[in-house]
Amino acid sequence: MRVCGGHRFSPLPIRHARGNSATRAINNGGVTDRLGVVVVDHGSRKAESNRVLDSVVELMKQRTGRSNVHPAHMEIAAPTILDAVHECAKEGAETVVVTPYFLSRGRHIMEDLPRLVEEAQKTVPGVKCILAQPLGLDPGLIDIMDRRIDEALVDSMAETEVAKTETLVSNPL
């Protein structure tokens, strides 16, 4: 565990630490065979924004090999957390980890999501629901931000070159 700006973070995401004793214990206990995952975001009135979470879930399935992974929106749009937990249970999950697609521990993480996960726990019999931490402070996110900065610079330079070319074409010497 490292500390940066008063925040504690793990230098490696848990999925990269497959060899650690906690992961081995979970796998040996068969938990992963009966595990469902719900990836939850805020939810939006814009359908195209909500579809991004569907893509995140599909990518998670591909990258992790987990098949029982479902999207949910905290509010505004369907499916809800309860809907997604039901889907996980239908596919045999006895434990469902609700993982927030949120950056920090704001009001939704501290109040709303725990309440909604608890409601799902009470409503879906035989399923244990666990709320994971938000994405938080992780070196992987910094790497992504750095890539986006580089991409923005490249795009900006390309736009500048196009503008220069268009100026030369429309105003020949």
Side-chain angles (χ1 to χ4, degrees), residues 8 16 20-21 25 33 66-67 74 80 84 92 102 104-105 114 159-160 163 166 169:
R8 299 178 76 197
H16 292 213
N20 73 31
S21 59
D33 297 337
R66 298 183 192 281
S67 59
M74 188 190 72
T80 65
F102 287 74
S104 62
R105 296 178 55 83
E159 289 171 9
T160 301
E166 288 174 349
V169 168

Short mmCIF file of all heavy atoms in Angstrom, two decimals, residues 8 16 20-21 25 33 66-67 74 80 84 92 102 104-105 114 159-160 163 166 169:
data_model
loop_
_atom_site.label_atom_id
_atom_site.label_comp_id
_atom_site.label_asym_id
_atom_site.label_seq_id
_atom_site.Cartn_x
_atom_site.Cartn_y
_atom_site.Cartn_z
N ARG A 8 -4.50 6.43 0.33
CA ARG A 8 -3.82 5.15 0.23
C ARG A 8 -4.25 4.46 -1.06
O ARG A 8 -5.42 4.50 -1.42
CB ARG A 8 -4.19 4.27 1.42
CG ARG A 8 -3.75 4.91 2.74
CD ARG A 8 -4.16 4.08 3.89
NE ARG A 8 -3.23 2.95 3.93
CZ ARG A 8 -3.45 1.84 4.60
NH1 ARG A 8 -4.54 1.68 5.27
NH2 ARG A 8 -2.55 0.88 4.59
N HIS A 16 -4.37 -7.95 -11.28
CA HIS A 16 -3.00 -8.23 -11.69
C HIS A 16 -2.26 -9.03 -10.64
O HIS A 16 -1.17 -9.49 -10.88
CB HIS A 16 -2.25 -6.92 -11.95
CG HIS A 16 -2.78 -6.19 -13.13
ND1 HIS A 16 -2.00 -5.44 -13.95
CD2 HIS A 16 -4.03 -6.10 -13.65
CE1 HIS A 16 -2.74 -4.92 -14.91
NE2 HIS A 16 -3.96 -5.29 -14.74
N ASN A 20 -1.50 -13.75 -5.45
CA ASN A 20 -1.48 -13.50 -4.02
C ASN A 20 -2.34 -14.50 -3.26
O ASN A 20 -3.20 -15.17 -3.82
CB ASN A 20 -1.83 -12.03 -3.69
CG ASN A 20 -3.29 -11.70 -3.88
OD1 ASN A 20 -4.16 -12.54 -3.70
ND2 ASN A 20 -3.55 -10.47 -4.23
N SER A 21 -2.10 -14.61 -1.96
CA SER A 21 -2.77 -15.65 -1.16
C SER A 21 -4.27 -15.45 -1.09
O SER A 21 -5.03 -16.42 -1.08
CB SER A 21 -2.16 -15.71 0.24
OG SER A 21 -2.31 -14.46 0.88
N ALA A 25 -6.94 -18.25 -2.32
CA ALA A 25 -7.95 -18.75 -1.39
C ALA A 25 -9.35 -18.63 -1.99
O ALA A 25 -10.16 -19.55 -1.88
CB ALA A 25 -7.89 -18.00 -0.05
N ASP A 33 -16.43 -19.38 -9.19
CA ASP A 33 -17.39 -20.14 -9.99
C ASP A 33 -18.82 -19.68 -9.72
O ASP A 33 -19.69 -19.85 -10.57
CB ASP A 33 -17.30 -21.64 -9.68
CG ASP A 33 -15.95 -22.23 -10.05
OD1 ASP A 33 -15.27 -21.64 -10.91
OD2 ASP A 33 -15.58 -23.26 -9.47
N ARG A 66 -14.43 -13.35 -16.91
CA ARG A 66 -15.67 -13.51 -16.14
C ARG A 66 -16.84 -13.42 -17.11
O ARG A 66 -16.87 -12.56 -17.98
CB ARG A 66 -15.81 -12.41 -15.09
CG ARG A 66 -14.72 -12.40 -14.04
CD ARG A 66 -15.02 -11.31 -13.01
NE ARG A 66 -13.92 -11.03 -12.13
CZ ARG A 66 -13.58 -11.77 -11.08
NH1 ARG A 66 -14.25 -12.86 -10.82
NH2 ARG A 66 -12.56 -11.44 -10.32
N SER A 67 -17.82 -14.27 -16.92
CA SER A 67 -18.97 -14.23 -17.82
C SER A 67 -20.21 -13.63 -17.15
O SER A 67 -21.07 -13.07 -17.83
CB SER A 67 -19.30 -15.63 -18.33
OG SER A 67 -19.58 -16.50 -17.25
N MET A 74 -27.22 3.60 -11.21
CA MET A 74 -27.66 3.94 -9.86
C MET A 74 -29.04 4.60 -9.89
O MET A 74 -29.88 4.34 -9.04
CB MET A 74 -26.65 4.86 -9.19
CG MET A 74 -26.94 5.10 -7.74
SD MET A 74 -25.90 6.39 -7.08
CE MET A 74 -26.62 7.82 -7.87
N THR A 80 -31.42 -1.39 -13.10
CA THR A 80 -31.02 -0.94 -11.77
C THR A 80 -30.06 -1.95 -11.16
O THR A 80 -29.83 -3.03 -11.71
CB THR A 80 -32.25 -0.84 -10.86
OG1 THR A 80 -32.79 -2.17 -10.68
CG2 THR A 80 -33.31 0.08 -11.45
N ALA A 84 -29.75 -6.02 -11.99
CA ALA A 84 -28.48 -6.68 -12.32
C ALA A 84 -28.16 -7.79 -11.33
O ALA A 84 -27.66 -8.85 -11.73
CB ALA A 84 -27.36 -5.65 -12.37
N GLY A 92 -26.52 -18.17 -11.56
CA GLY A 92 -25.89 -19.03 -10.57
C GLY A 92 -25.03 -18.36 -9.53
O GLY A 92 -24.38 -19.04 -8.73
N PHE A 102 -17.11 4.76 -10.60
CA PHE A 102 -17.03 6.11 -10.05
C PHE A 102 -15.58 6.34 -9.64
O PHE A 102 -14.88 5.39 -9.28
CB PHE A 102 -17.89 6.23 -8.78
CG PHE A 102 -19.38 6.26 -9.01
CD1 PHE A 102 -20.07 5.11 -9.36
CD2 PHE A 102 -20.09 7.43 -8.84
CE1 PHE A 102 -21.44 5.13 -9.55
CE2 PHE A 102 -21.46 7.46 -9.02
CZ PHE A 102 -22.14 6.31 -9.38
N SER A 104 -14.41 8.60 -7.03
CA SER A 104 -14.08 8.87 -5.63
C SER A 104 -15.23 8.57 -4.68
O SER A 104 -16.33 8.25 -5.10
CB SER A 104 -13.63 10.33 -5.48
OG SER A 104 -14.69 11.19 -5.85
N ARG A 105 -14.94 8.69 -3.40
CA ARG A 105 -15.88 8.36 -2.34
C ARG A 105 -16.77 9.55 -2.00
O ARG A 105 -16.75 10.05 -0.89
CB ARG A 105 -15.13 7.87 -1.11
CG ARG A 105 -14.36 6.58 -1.36
CD ARG A 105 -13.58 6.14 -0.15
NE ARG A 105 -14.37 6.01 1.05
CZ ARG A 105 -15.11 4.95 1.38
NH1 ARG A 105 -15.13 3.90 0.58
NH2 ARG A 105 -15.79 4.93 2.50
N PRO A 114 -24.44 2.10 -0.92
CA PRO A 114 -24.61 1.13 0.17
C PRO A 114 -26.09 0.82 0.44
O PRO A 114 -26.45 -0.34 0.66
CB PRO A 114 -23.97 1.82 1.38
CG PRO A 114 -22.94 2.71 0.78
CD PRO A 114 -23.56 3.21 -0.50
N GLU A 159 -4.99 19.19 -36.26
CA GLU A 159 -5.97 20.22 -36.61
C GLU A 159 -5.28 21.50 -37.06
O GLU A 159 -5.72 22.16 -37.99
CB GLU A 159 -6.89 20.50 -35.42
CG GLU A 159 -7.86 19.38 -35.13
CD GLU A 159 -8.62 19.58 -33.82
OE1 GLU A 159 -8.53 20.68 -33.22
OE2 GLU A 159 -9.31 18.64 -33.41
N THR A 160 -4.19 21.84 -36.40
CA THR A 160 -3.43 23.03 -36.77
C THR A 160 -2.86 22.88 -38.17
O THR A 160 -2.91 23.81 -38.97
CB THR A 160 -2.29 23.28 -35.75
OG1 THR A 160 -2.88 23.45 -34.47
CG2 THR A 160 -1.47 24.50 -36.12
N ALA A 163 -5.64 23.26 -40.69
CA ALA A 163 -6.01 24.67 -40.82
C ALA A 163 -4.99 25.43 -41.66
O ALA A 163 -5.36 26.26 -42.49
CB ALA A 163 -6.15 25.30 -39.43
N GLU A 166 -5.54 24.43 -45.28
CA GLU A 166 -6.75 25.05 -45.83
C GLU A 166 -6.52 26.53 -46.10
O GLU A 166 -7.00 27.06 -47.10
CB GLU A 166 -7.91 24.87 -44.85
CG GLU A 166 -8.43 23.44 -44.79
CD GLU A 166 -9.47 23.22 -43.72
OE1 GLU A 166 -9.68 24.10 -42.86
OE2 GLU A 166 -10.07 22.13 -43.72
N VAL A 169 -4.48 26.79 -49.30
CA VAL A 169 -5.25 26.45 -50.48
C VAL A 169 -6.21 27.57 -50.83
O VAL A 169 -6.39 27.93 -51.98
CB VAL A 169 -6.03 25.11 -50.25
CG1 VAL A 169 -7.05 24.88 -51.34
CG2 VAL A 169 -5.04 23.96 -50.17
#
